[in-house]
Amino acid sequence: MFHRLGLVGLGLVLTLAAGPSLAAPTPGPVPVRVPQTAGAPGSGAGTGPQANAATTVTAVDPTPGSTTVLAGYAIRSTKEVTDSAAAVSSPGYAATGWYPAGARSTVLAALLAAGVYPDPFYSTQQQRIAAADFDVPWWYRSDFTVTGAAARTYLDFSGVISAADVFVNGHRIATAADVAGAYTRHELDVTDLIEEGANTVAFRIQPNDPRKQLTMSWLDWLQPPPDENMGIVRDVTVRRGGPVALRDAHVVTALAMPSMASADLTVKAQVRNDSAATVTTTVSGTVSGAESPVALSRGVTLAPGETKTVVFSPADHPALRLTSPRIWWPATMGEQPLYGLALTATVNGAPSDTAHQSFGIRDVQAPLNADGDRQYRINGRPLLIKGAGWSPDEFLRWDRTYVEDRLKYALDLGLNTLRLEGHIEPDEFFDLADRYGILTLPGWECCSKWEGEVNGTEAGEEWDDPDYPVARASMAAEAARLRHHPSVISFLIGSDFAPNEEIERGYVDALRAADWTAPVVPAASDTSAPVTGRSGMKMTGPYDWVPPGYWYGKREGGATGFNSETSAGPDVPTLDTLRRTMSPAELETLWKDPSAAQYHRSPSRTFSTLRLYNAALAGRYGSPTGLDDYVRKAQLAQYENVRAQFEAYARNAKDASEPSTGVIYWMFNSGWTSLQWQLVDRFLDQGGAYFGAKKANEPLHVQYGYDNRSVSVVNNRNAAASGLTARVTLFDPDGTQRYDRTVTGLSVAGGGASSTALTVPESVPGLSTTYLARLLLTDGAGREVSRNVYWLSTRADVLDYEDSDWYYTPTTSYADLRGLNSMQQTPVTAAASTTEDGTGTSTTTVTVRHPGTGTTPALLTDVHLVGAQGAPVLPVRWSDNQVSLWPGESATLTATYRTADLRGSAPRLRISGWNTPTSTVPAT
């Protein structure tokens, strides 16, 4: 895994994919913040151009085994720099006219932070950024100080997009041919170049073209950034050490199945002698997290330049066979305990290097079932993968708080998995996933160079000889980085296409060499590869509008097998978000002109308009009468569709024939302000799609089947439930009751099992064309544990399956839901109070009540927490929301949020709904 550069006299080592940086990092600078307020008309990304800002100088920790993150860079286009590379990369160089960049920053992210361009997330302002500014290399330079220059010093980094020449103190130490690919890992031994005091490293970053290079692209997700994300998007660290380097330390876990009564731990590490003399080192350390720490120690003698792998196993360290191990589970199934590894290599009693790693103990299997579909089992227990596609920020800005907020939203929605197609996030993302118990499915992306050799006429050029080692090195680096995270349950080495045998063997060999234990999946589509076999997944879509009933058919994208990416496409956000995203003229076009290209949908011609979506909205609900009415109808449509998608897959998960095994909603979020593929929008606001998913995935759930009119109970809890009562009542839109039935004594097993309570008659006398179905589930004590309201029609949506395309199935006749427009306006009252827990978290409790006048229910009552100016307070996690109330009914909801997000104002609640006039009440 080690390459040696033939640079005479420099004694430099370039390591591709040497594994994760295992030394405990020195705390670095605050990461670049994702602008939470971007999008308001006229709001720029900064306060104005800020060239000539002082460059932060990083003080390197001199402790052997330390890892210090470079605090940031000064950057500038090579078009504007006439000085030589030797001058640019030398200490004392005056970076006049350069821009500051964070420790992880693309070129455009830095320029946005400096206020060079207007907010690219609003309207079409991103088009004002000239792509030609990024068709030449850009310089990144950073100064750091070192004490004790005689100690060994290394530069360790990945995340260079797309490639870079690297210089230290005036000397080129690697070329762009050596440092290529967004995921390759590089270690450069720069000991002979480092001086006591000031030092400089400079990267000459090459432009990125994802069709030609193994980097990152945005496919049809969003309007791509004009710089194509060129820059350095992961930490560059300076490592210090003694004569012996400790690398690639990790723990291979083997949980005894099915008993889980014991677990074998095998500790491995590479020790490398970087000195010119024979050295004897002692590698010692502990595995913590068990009832008693496990001590490890072994002496190793190394010739000059020699590397050996040290292995500690239960055979020679019996304490590494743990009894009653602490097992890591997904959040919905159990706890998330983690263990820790700490190793030190000493020479003559002095520390030379250290390594630290956390890990979890769990068993993941994903065999193909009798239908050839992939069925995941965690610690021997099968589970339905209920997930969504993850997107980072468009400019790859890392903000831990923003990421953590979205992960908490995923849990709030009852999701258990996030799929990362490319754009594989930094280490902290997976640390958070481990901690919160969220499963992840990382993998390579489609429709770019990654699949250029196998994807026929799709985007992405065929591979050249240099691409193969870059791909293998990328796989080795990501395998070494991700293998210890219990949240990572597979790697998808293909997306739309499986790799050919040569590419696949490179990937698989790299994974095996890294001691990868999770399943390897050849592709996210229904295909196979020579080594890893059948994928067991399908990629049938849809990606654009289909009616809710579509999800129940066991064909195309319906609820059978494992659908790796699918949804009904567009997701129009709340009116609050739309006004922060689009100009008034664009908002007018949004609801008036279905055939208009929507900049905030997709650069793809297939997905550039809202034609299918708007036609369905008008056909089912009636033509919108204005922007407010359009958004109001969109929220109902998105609620019912997302709910149906997750409900169908949940109900069919235990079927004896063609069960559903997994569904990835496409997508969880967008990297920018979007009109498509999102359960939560850019600003973390929540609309119909969010609460439809939350309703479908609640722990104990009563639901309606669009295919057979069944009322089923789905139990997502671990334990069985009994003594349940299900009631279904059908109403005309004016509240006239037409049907009512109650079934008692229901039982349902745990772990995602379902039970059918009753079937609604095909025909109900007197029922209007548009009608409401209220489903209630109560426990043995009479407490309501699930409430679910549907708006349905006696006229069904009709699908033309024979004319299905890869992205949707046409609807030839729409359900008639226009009767909802006749519902009388019904006020909803609210009483609220707020408490603060002393740690910065506030909880607002609100009771919403239908006052009981008239017979008309209040459909989909939405409660928004707002500040003094009426803007939503975000993020917020609701116990429930968008509830429907009949006369005399009430519901008590709680909202949890950061007190600071109120920005000093008193909390208020904005109450609205399908047929509820908007009002705002205090929540103090």
Side-chain angles (χ1 to χ4, degrees), residues 113-126:
V116 175
Y117 302 112
D119 174 18
F121 286 179
Y122 178 72
S123 186
T124 59
Q125 290 185 161
Q126 183 166 268

Side-chain angles (χ1 to χ4, degrees), residues 62-66 150-154 239-244 351-353:
T63 307
S66 67
R152 302 215 70 81
T153 305
Y154 312 85
R239 301 179 66 158
R240 305 303 303 279
V244 171
S352 180
D353 206 354

Side-chain angles (χ1 to χ4, degrees), residues 12 70 149 201-202 211 270 294 351 412 446 473 479 589 607 619 627 658 716 731 817-818 859 886 916:
L12 304 176
L70 294 182
V201 59
R211 295 175 299 278
Q270 291 181 355
V294 180
D412 184 54
C446 87
T589 300
F607 303 122
L627 178 63
E658 298 183 285
N716 294 305
F731 301 88
L817 300 174
R818 292 173 296 173
L859 182 63
W886 267 253
T916 297

Side-chain angles (χ1 to χ4, degrees), residues 318 414 506 609 688 720 749:
T609 76

Side-chain angles (χ1 to χ4, degrees), residues 359-500:
F359 64 96
I361 297 175
R362 54 94 177 98
D363 180 81
V364 179
Q365 303 293 328
L368 303 186
N369 65 13
D371 300 301
D373 300 319
R374 198 164 291 273
Q375 172 68 72
Y376 277 86
R377 295 199 302 255
I378 308 296
N379 303 326
R381 288 168 52 184
L383 81 160
L384 172 69
I385 295 295
K386 294 188 293 186
W390 176 269
S391 175
D393 170 67
E394 178 178 2
F395 306 112
L396 303 184
R397 294 169 292 191
W398 173 258
D399 183 333
R400 179 187 173 93
T401 300
Y402 186 55
V403 168
E404 194 166 9
D405 286 338
R406 285 179 286 164
L407 292 179
K408 290 178 180 178
Y409 268 9
L411 289 179
D412 184 54
L413 290 177
L415 303 181
N416 56 29
T417 305
L418 294 169
R419 180 183 167 210
L420 291 79
E421 183 190 346
H423 305 97
I424 304 175
E425 290 277 35
D427 296 338
E428 295 97 323
F429 174 89
F430 297 96
D431 290 338
L432 289 169
D434 292 344
R435 181 174 133 202
Y436 286 115
I438 300 173
L439 304 175
T440 63
L441 291 171
W444 304 130
E445 67 186 38
C446 87
C447 316
S448 64
K449 182 71 170 185
W450 287 101
E451 294 184 349
E453 189 67 12
V454 295
N455 65 6
T457 60
E458 297 287 340
E461 295 187 1
E462 294 183 358
W463 286 27
D464 299 316
D465 288 345
D467 295 315
Y468 292 87
V470 171
R472 289 192 297 270
S474 299
M475 188 71 265
E478 289 304 283
R481 191 173 72 91
L482 299 177
R483 65 191 165 197
H484 68 280
H485 289 287
S487 59
V488 178
I489 58 169
S490 275
F491 199 95
L492 279 66
I493 56 176
S495 180
D496 293 27
F497 299 87
N500 62 28

Side-chain angles (χ1 to χ4, degrees), residues 3-175:
H3 272 339
R4 292 202 178 266
L5 283 179
L7 301 176
V8 179
L10 295 183
L12 304 176
V13 177
L14 168 62
T15 303
L16 292 179
S21 178
L22 297 169
T26 301
V30 176
V32 178
R33 297 285 293 179
V34 175
Q36 300 293 299
T37 56
S43 66
T47 57
Q50 297 176 15
N52 305 327
T55 302
T56 302
V57 178
T58 305
V60 173
D61 185 344
T63 307
S66 67
T67 300
T68 304
V69 177
L70 294 182
Y73 306 90
I75 72 168
R76 198 172 188 191
S77 169
T78 58
K79 286 181 181 178
E80 302 169 338
V81 177
T82 58
D83 299 311
S84 68
V88 169
S89 61
S90 294
Y93 177 78
T96 304
W98 292 47
Y99 293 96
R104 307 171 187 172
S105 179
T106 65
V107 172
L108 189 47
L111 298 180
L112 289 170
V116 175
Y117 302 112
D119 174 18
F121 286 179
Y122 178 72
S123 186
T124 59
Q125 290 185 161
Q126 183 166 268
Q127 291 180 324
R128 295 164 59 181
I129 303 173
D133 291 346
F134 313 104
D135 62 7
V136 300
W138 277 67
W139 279 111
Y140 275 58
R141 71 179 308 278
S142 186
D143 296 322
F144 59 97
T145 59
V146 169
T147 57
R152 302 215 70 81
T153 305
Y154 312 85
L155 283 177
D156 190 336
F157 59 91
S158 66
V160 173
I161 302 177
S162 65
D165 301 295
V166 186
F167 301 81
V168 169
N169 292 345
H171 300 272
R172 186 169 72 175
I173 61 173
T175 69

Side-chain angles (χ1 to χ4, degrees), residues 555-579:
R555 58 188 301 182
E556 304 296 338
T560 181
F562 194 122
N563 199 335
S564 66
E565 48 181 66
T566 188
S567 73
D571 184 272
V572 174
T574 64
L575 197 55
D576 294 296
T577 289
L578 284 172
R579 286 174 171 153

Side-chain angles (χ1 to χ4, degrees), residues 480-708:
R481 191 173 72 91
L482 299 177
R483 65 191 165 197
H484 68 280
H485 289 287
S487 59
V488 178
I489 58 169
S490 275
F491 199 95
L492 279 66
I493 56 176
S495 180
D496 293 27
F497 299 87
N500 62 28
E501 185 170 5
E502 181 180 4
I503 296 172
E504 183 190 24
R505 288 194 183 279
Y507 290 151
V508 172
D509 288 348
L511 287 159
R512 287 173 178 164
D515 292 321
W516 185 267
T517 59
V520 178
V521 181
S525 60
D526 184 7
T527 186
S528 61
V531 179
T532 51
R534 179 96 175 264
S535 73
M537 293 187 174
K538 66 179 183 179
M539 191 184 285
T540 50
Y543 301 92
D544 212 325
W545 192 85
V546 291
Y550 170 93
W551 301 106
Y552 284 88
K554 289 192 174 183
R555 58 188 301 182
E556 304 296 338
T560 181
F562 194 122
N563 199 335
S564 66
E565 48 181 66
T566 188
S567 73
D571 184 272
V572 174
T574 64
L575 197 55
D576 294 296
T577 289
L578 284 172
R579 286 174 171 153
R580 299 172 72 179
T581 300
M582 303 169 74
S583 69
E586 290 166 333
L587 292 175
E588 191 82 356
T589 300
L590 178 66
W591 71 272
K592 281 187 174 179
D593 189 355
S595 63
Q598 295 292 339
Y599 186 71
H600 285 268
R601 185 163 187 211
S602 174
S604 163
R605 290 184 180 181
T606 303
F607 303 122
S608 62
T609 76
L610 292 172
R611 179 179 59 85
L612 296 174
Y613 177 85
N614 284 3
L617 209 63
R620 299 174 89 240
Y621 288 97
S623 298
T625 58
L627 178 63
D628 285 13
D629 187 54
Y630 175 81
V631 175
R632 185 175 69 120
K633 288 172 175 170
Q635 301 315 309
L636 250 69
Q638 287 153 195
Y639 187 107
E640 65 165 343
N641 213 312
V642 174
R643 175 179 60 181
Q645 178 176 335
F646 282 108
E647 285 182 338
Y649 272 84
R651 192 200 68 181
N652 291 359
K654 302 294 184 180
D655 284 2
S657 174
E658 298 183 285
S660 54
T661 61
V663 59
I664 301 295
Y665 185 90
W666 205 247
M667 300 176 64
F668 177 71
N669 67 299
S670 176
W672 83 323
T673 43
S674 179
L675 295 172
Q676 71 166 354
W677 297 344
Q678 56 188 356
L679 293 174
V680 58
D681 70 34
R682 172 69 191 177
F683 303 107
L684 304 182
D685 205 356
Q686 305 145 314
Y690 186 97
F691 290 113
K694 181 177 173 68
K695 176 58 63 177
N697 296 322
E698 63 186 348
L700 190 58
H701 179 62
V702 61
Q703 64 183 60
Y704 174 81
Y706 282 83
D707 57 338
N708 58 12

